[in-house]
Amino acid sequence: MKLKNNWYNAIAGRTSRRAYKNQKIESHKLDQINDLIHSINTESGLHIQFVEDGAHLLNGFKASYGMISGRPSLIALAGRTRDPERRQKAGYYGEFLVLECVSLGLGTCWISGTYNRSKCIKSIQLNEDEELICVIAVGNVHQNRNLKELAISQFGKSKQSFDELLAEKDCTPPLWVASGIEAARIAPSAANKKPISYRYQNELLYVYASKKPHHAEEIDLGISMAHFQLGALLGSKEGVWIKKDKGYLFQ
């Protein structure tokens, strides 16, 4: 899957949206989203699915740390239970989908906590060896956030500093590492936590979950990796993530 320049441009404009219009997503935007979902599923082995009417699965439930209102659609991220990297992949590829949606002028919100999981499972197709990992709300939103969204957003404003996120380094990092870390600093968190750390030593860049990885922490790891990769590309470093011990090596 080729990374898009507009995904990096969408990083700064992305913010969690919880108030959606009662309006369907335009067909040409749906086509672009579904084309990307198909490409991701082919590459990753995930089983990501688009649910056009997600309102009955979200409304009235405390999704993340704020109520979802309006008529959003839903991106359901599912993967094979035998794949130990399925949650990390869901975060990694799911964030590229988020940035694609933002670049199309849509609002999004990662939801890994409380939502109507059983209804959602009934609304998608899962094989016996697959599980629903988490969902992303997506839809048309007003240009400006309402007062409730602005108030809720303050709970997630605390971001790690550059030195907190790049927890270990043995020298001044090169431009591509600095650019990647800056992009990772503003990555969303599916659980609104900051469980990710980077290490740059011997000219090698690693990332790992600094807290004991559970369901949401692994998703957050993937989200952060997607942001770092886009930032590194801006710094003229085209690399890929390789599984290494308990984390990932960028090379």
Side-chain angles (χ1 to χ4, degrees):
M1 182 185 67
K2 184 175 177 58
L3 303 186
K4 297 182 180 181
N5 290 332
N6 60 335
W7 292 348
Y8 178 84
N9 296 333
I11 287 177
R14 187 219 61 80
T15 187
S16 295
R17 300 299 304 265
R18 295 172 175 81
Y20 293 86
K21 294 181 179 180
N22 294 319
Q23 176 184 343
K24 290 184 177 181
I25 298 173
E26 296 90 326
S27 59
H28 71 280
K29 295 181 180 180
L30 282 178
D31 289 342
Q32 287 185 237
I33 295 168
N34 282 313
D35 284 347
L36 182 55
I37 288 174
H38 176 74
S39 296
I40 288 173
N41 285 341
T42 300
E43 177 174 305
S44 67
L46 293 172
H47 191 184
I48 302 173
Q49 299 167 60
F50 187 88
V51 181
E52 187 166 0
D53 182 10
H56 66 293
L57 307 175
L58 296 175
N59 288 355
F61 287 83
K62 189 179 180 183
S64 183
Y65 52 90
M67 305 296 288
I68 300 293
S69 63
R71 296 186 60 83
S73 294
L74 204 68
I75 297 174
L77 298 110
R80 295 186 178 91
T81 54
R82 65 176 181 269
D83 182 357
E85 297 180 78
R86 63 190 180 279
R87 295 187 180 95
Q88 175 270 334
K89 288 180 180 178
Y92 177 76
Y93 287 103
E95 183 61 7
F96 289 139
L97 275 165
V98 163
L99 296 174
E100 175 73 357
C101 291
V102 171
S103 71
L104 293 172
L106 301 171
T108 64
C109 184
W110 276 97
I111 303 169
S112 66
T114 305
Y115 60 98
N116 200 323
R117 183 180 177 84
S118 60
K119 275 190 176 182
C120 189
I121 290 174
K122 291 178 182 178
S123 299
I124 61 176
Q125 296 179 342
L126 288 180
N127 297 320
E128 290 185 1
D129 65 340
E130 294 177 337
E131 70 169 353
L132 176 62
I133 299 167
C134 61
V135 301
I136 299 167
V138 56
N140 288 295
V141 293
H142 296 284
Q143 183 175 357
N144 297 318
R145 289 177 291 173
N146 61 26
L147 292 176
K148 185 176 181 180
E149 287 180 298
L150 288 170
I152 292 171
S153 70
Q154 297 306 309
F155 290 104
K157 280 293 183 184
S158 177
K159 298 291 184 183
Q160 289 171 289
S161 69
F162 185 97
D163 289 331
E164 286 174 335
L165 189 56
L166 186 57
E168 302 173 63
K169 57 181 182 294
D170 59 6
C171 65
T172 301
L175 174 62
W176 66 268
V177 173
S179 181
I181 293 297
E182 285 297 339
R185 282 187 62 240
I186 55 176
S189 170
N192 299 303
K193 299 177 182 179
K194 311 294 186 296
I196 310 305
S197 292
Y198 287 81
R199 180 174 76 244
Y200 184 69
Q201 292 180 327
N202 301 318
E203 299 183 345
L204 297 174
L205 189 286
Y206 300 88
V207 66
Y208 54 95
S210 53
K211 298 179 181 179
K212 186 177 180 181
H214 293 293
H215 181 96
E217 284 76 10
E218 292 179 273
I219 298 170
D220 285 349
L221 177 61
I223 294 172
S224 183
M225 290 164 63
H227 273 233
F228 181 92
Q229 189 170 2
L230 289 168
L233 186 60
L234 184 71
S236 301
K237 174 68 172 181
E238 188 172 356
V240 294
W241 291 105
I242 306 297
K243 187 77 173 78
K244 183 76 170 180
D245 301 324
K246 295 182 179 180
Y248 290 84
L249 167 66
F250 190 74
Q251 64 178 32

